[in-house]
Amino acid sequence: MAEQLDRETMENVALLSKLMLSEEEMEKAKEEMQRMLDYVDKLNTLDTEGVDPVTHLLADGNVFREDVVENGDESGQMLENAPEKKDGQFKVPRTVE
């Protein structure tokens, strides 16, 4: 069983979490945190010798498609619709003075 939480530790956790807890809430939070710590302590007793560490339950692999250009350079066609253009780019009103 994990070390028992005391009042001072819970007050410090509440302060660091920026929580204003009533007496009831403080007691409930203390019980819940104690259960979590007990569970972690229980997990620490498991024999993990020979078990590879994992970062995710599913196998790592690239699930993304290949980055292939499908439409090419159509900047000329896009600029045909521009009300104003300059040096192969859209010309827009100045927004910063």
Side-chain angles (χ1 to χ4, degrees):
M1 189 158 140
E3 183 178 329
Q4 292 295 313
L5 292 173
D6 59 358
R7 175 79 181 176
E8 183 180 342
T9 302
M10 283 307 299
E11 288 173 355
N12 191 32
V13 169
L15 178 69
L16 292 172
S17 303
K18 299 188 184 310
L19 297 174
M20 299 295 293
L21 301 175
S22 67
E23 289 297 320
E24 284 179 6
E25 293 169 328
M26 182 72 77
E27 190 58 37
K28 184 176 180 187
K30 180 180 173 185
E31 291 170 8
E32 290 174 356
M33 190 172 290
Q34 187 65 54
R35 281 200 316 264
M36 286 186 265
L37 292 173
D38 290 342
Y39 185 72
V40 169
D41 196 42
K42 183 178 178 181
L43 290 176
N44 285 334
T45 64
L46 296 175
D47 180 20
T48 57
E49 190 67 34
V51 177
D52 292 332
V54 295
T55 57
H56 199 278
L57 295 177
L58 303 176
D60 291 333
N62 188 356
V63 296
F64 301 110
R65 64 171 172 77
E66 291 295 320
D67 190 13
V68 178
V69 176
E70 296 178 358
N71 57 357
D73 183 18
E74 298 175 0
S75 57
Q77 287 178 325
M78 289 187 285
L79 282 172
E80 287 177 9
N81 295 322
E84 294 184 55
K85 50 191 163 202
K86 180 181 177 183
D87 299 326
Q89 298 178 354
F90 289 94
K91 185 175 178 181
V92 297
R94 184 179 187 139
T95 58
V96 179
E97 296 193 30

